[in-house]
Structures are given as structure tokens and as C-alpha cells.
Amino acid sequence: MIWLVGQNGMLGTELCEGLTARGLPWVGSSRDVDVGDASRLEVFAAKLSKPPTWIVNCSAYTFVDKAEDEVEACTRLNVNGAENLARLADRLGAALLHVSTDYVFDGRGVAGPKATLRPYVETDHVGPQGVYGRTKAEGEARITAHCARHIIFRTAWLYGAAGPNFVFTMLRLMKTKQALGVVADQFGSPTWTRDLASVMAEVLAQPAPEANHPTWGVYHVSGEGQSTWFEFASAILKGGQAEGLLDPAKPLTLNPLTTDQYPTKAKRPAWSVLSKEKLKQNFGLEMPPWKASLNKFLQEIHSKGMLIP
Ligand SMILES: NC(=O)c1ccc[n+]([C@@H]2O[C@H](COP(=O)([O-])OP(=O)(O)OC[C@H]3O[C@@H](n4cnc5c(N)ncnc54)[C@H](OP(=O)(O)O)[C@@H]3O)[C@@H](O)[C@H]2O)c1
């Protein structure tokens, strides 16, 4: 039995569908089973018909800019919540699958061959720049300290049907604006919740090994390839027009911006491309190229007649 915490979030919603499609038995909880309250979690666990084999944490405080002013609320979920779930999983003999972020990195990158930056690997030094990233990094540390059988999936630039997210924002703005400025000097990898949920479900479907097995630990799981927000927006425009979500005859100019021209309360990493080699090696799993996934997502919005929120 899998216990999915945060079942109604953007990723949680997708994972519910992925687990059901694979016939994996699961039970879900949302904010009414507050991860910041250890006793509330205990009570929920005690009511389950049998102890969970996995606890999956899709809950989080995810408002990156608001977090700069709401340190306590953000810490409560991303640090205390993660620790509470780790301690409980350990006590119940369950394994913990937790989701973290590229924002744990400082974004300066690490030099690769030919003076380029290489994708971050899991052992690279973390150096978060804002409250959200700091709490997520601390959450990872608490999990590592309190639950031996844990997997942490660091993902990035997430979008999916249960939004809100960058794709929906862009589609909405592209319908009405004549010109849009988008940041072109931050590099990362767009990730469809479907692809991440699919990798999570694959891992959850495999028998969980004993503690001290080399499989446990941190993994990077984002869309394959790299992009800037500007390239991402350009692909949304092209794909949106091809799918009939946007009118190709409507004039729209996309303008590349520097980070300085688009200031945000919380600093974003300039480089957060993640290497998926470890995921490939240890689980034999790969993420699809980000652009192919984006086009599938846009196709699905169109074919299901989804309203853009
Ligand atoms: N979004 C991104 O671009 C992105 C990028 C990298 C990493 N991530 C990570 O990916 C994971 C999933 O993100 P997401 O975008 O799917 O998040 P999300 O849509 O904001 O969902 C967060 C979930 O947390 C639940 N929650 C809030 N307060 C809670 C509480 N006190 N106790 C229990 N649950 C609570 C919410 O419940 P309700 O539904 O009841 O409100 C919601 O289901 C997070 O760990 C996030 O840090 C996200």
C-alpha cells in the first residue's frame, strides 16, 4: 500500500492517475492531514488497514516569491513536514519517496568540457539562493538523517494539467498580448508531471530494497535536454498554434529579456540543468526530451478541450 501525501497538488493529481493506471494500491491525503503536525500524521497512519510500504511526499510550500515573506509557513511544510514524514516512514518500516527541486543549487553551475557548464550531478554542492530553495535543501537533509530507506527526486520547471504553471500562464497571455518579454538567460529543463509521475510509479512498482542498499538517495529527474524560459515560451507558442490553441494569425512578438530586466523577489538559479545519468544507471529509466513532452501536453489540452485556467 502506497500513501500519497499531497494528492491534490499539480504532481500529486498526476501521480494518482499513474498509480491507478498501473494497478498499484494507494491511499491519498491532502492538507487536512497536515504534514506539519506529526500527531495528525500518526493518527492517519494508524487508521490505514495495513501499514504503508511507501510514503510518497508530493506536498510542499511552492510559492517561491511569497516564501521570502512567509519563512515560517514555508519551513513548516518543506522542513518540518519532510522530517515528520521521514521519521514516521522509518518507524513504520516504510520507504519514503520525496520530491525536491533544482532550486537547491546556486545556479552558477560547474565547468564542463570546452568551457561550457555541465549538468548538475547529485553530489554537486548545494547552495540555495532563496527561502524556498533553502527549506527544500534542509528538507532533503532531514530526510537523509531520519529515514535510511529514502529516495529524493529533484525536479525542475514542472508543468501539468492540474496547474497553475508557466505553460498555462504563457497560453493565457499569448491569447491577449501583442508582445511578451521572457527571460532568456536562465537555463533549465521543462518537466511534464506525466513524465515525472511515470518514473515515480515505475520506482514504486519495484520491490523496495533493504536499508544500506546503494539504490537509496538523491536522483535528478527533469525533462531531457535544456532550454531557457524564452525557448520554452517560443515552443509553447509554436505548439499552441499548431494545436489550434492559439490563433496563428494573431500578431505576437516574443522578446528575450535578461534576468535584470525581469526582477523577482526570490532569485532563480541561472543554470539548473540536471544530469539524469544516475537515474539511468540505477533504475534503467529515462526522461523524454522536453519539447516532445510539451507537444504531447498541448495536444492533450486540445483533444480534451481543457479550459486554460
Ligand atoms: N512546481 C514546480 O515548478 C516545481 C519545480 C521543482 C520542484 N517542485 C517540487 O515538486 C513537488 C510538487 O510540486 P507541485 O507543483 O505539484 O505542488 P503544488 O501543486 O503546490 O501542491 C502542493 C500540495 O501540498 C499540499 N499541502 C499544502 N499544505 C499542506 C499541509 N500543511 N499538509 C499537507 N499537505 C499540504 C497541497 O494540498 P491542497 O491540494 O489541499 O492545497 C497540495 O496538494 C514539490 O515538492 C515541489 O517543491 C515543483
Side-chain angles (χ1 to χ4, degrees):
M1 167 75 76
I2 295 159
W3 174 9
L4 170 52
V5 178
Q7 65 169 347
N8 295 330
M10 185 166 70
L11 177 61
T13 303
E14 192 86 56
L15 186 57
C16 291
E17 287 170 19
L19 297 178
T20 304
R22 280 173 179 77
L24 294 170
W26 64 275
V27 61
S29 66
S30 202
R31 68 171 59 226
D32 51 317
V33 184
D34 179 7
V35 294
D37 180 348
S39 60
R40 187 77 188 84
L41 293 171
E42 291 276 355
V43 169
F44 185 87
K47 284 189 185 153
L48 295 175
S49 55
K50 50 184 173 178
T53 46
W54 281 95
I55 299 177
V56 183
N57 185 20
C58 289
S59 79
Y61 181 108
T62 54
F63 309 111
V64 176
D65 291 314
K66 235 163 85 175
E68 298 298 310
D69 297 319
E70 297 190 348
V71 180
E72 208 175 305
C74 186
T75 305
R76 189 165 185 280
L77 256 80
N78 295 352
V79 179
N80 307 119
E83 177 173 340
N84 289 339
L85 290 171
R87 286 180 182 273
L88 183 61
D90 206 51
R91 200 177 63 66
L92 297 174
L96 177 65
L97 175 54
H98 174 78
V99 184
S100 191
T101 170
D102 55 332
Y103 283 31
V104 299
F105 292 115
D106 66 14
R108 278 179 290 193
V110 181
K114 296 184 197 156
T116 55
L117 295 178
R118 63 151 171 79
Y120 278 115
V121 295
E122 289 78 354
T123 47
D124 281 332
H125 176 70
V126 298
Q129 304 185 94
V131 170
Y132 169 72
R134 273 203 298 281
T135 59
K136 292 296 286 185
E138 181 58 24
E140 290 185 2
R142 300 282 176 103
I143 287 169
T144 307
H146 295 293
C147 180
R149 296 168 71 233
H150 70 265
I151 285 177
I152 296 170
F153 277 171
R154 284 188 192 137
T155 192
W157 297 24
L158 209 55
Y159 65 89
N165 56 63
F166 184 78
V167 179
F168 285 146
T169 304
M170 283 297 121
L171 288 172
R172 211 173 44 242
L173 293 173
M174 284 167 178
K175 275 175 188 278
T176 53
K177 302 271 181 195
Q178 302 279 313
L180 266 181
V182 187
V183 172
D185 61 358
Q186 292 173 17
F187 295 82
S189 307
T191 309
W192 187 15
T193 49
R194 177 77 48 84
D195 297 332
L196 174 57
S198 166
V199 163
M200 292 171 82
E202 283 292 326
V203 168
L204 293 166
Q206 297 174 18
E210 293 309 307
N212 300 324
H213 195 275
T215 304
W216 302 116
V218 179
Y219 290 84
H220 290 168
V221 192
S222 56
E224 199 51 72
Q226 70 180 61
S227 176
T228 63
W229 293 107
F230 180 77
E231 283 175 51
F232 191 11
S234 305
I236 294 166
L237 177 60
K238 194 170 165 209
Q241 289 177 337
E243 282 305 324
L245 296 165
L246 298 168
D247 176 4
K250 180 192 158 294
L252 172 68
T253 312
L254 287 185
N255 298 311
L257 299 181
T258 63
T259 299
D260 289 344
Q261 290 172 310
Y262 190 79
T264 48
K265 185 134 195 168
K267 222 174 153 199
R268 268 73 172 160
W271 174 264
S272 72
V273 180
L274 306 175
S275 163
K276 270 75 71 179
E277 269 315 300
K278 187 177 169 190
L279 182 77
K280 251 181 248 172
Q281 277 173 14
N282 285 10
F283 286 106
L285 295 171
E286 294 189 40
M287 290 290 279
W290 72 264
K291 215 177 267 187
S293 290
L294 172 67
N295 288 331
K296 275 193 194 164
F297 176 62
L298 294 171
Q299 221 167 46
E300 199 168 292
I301 296 179
H302 176 68
S303 65
K304 290 188 177 168
M306 260 185 239
L307 289 177
I308 295 157

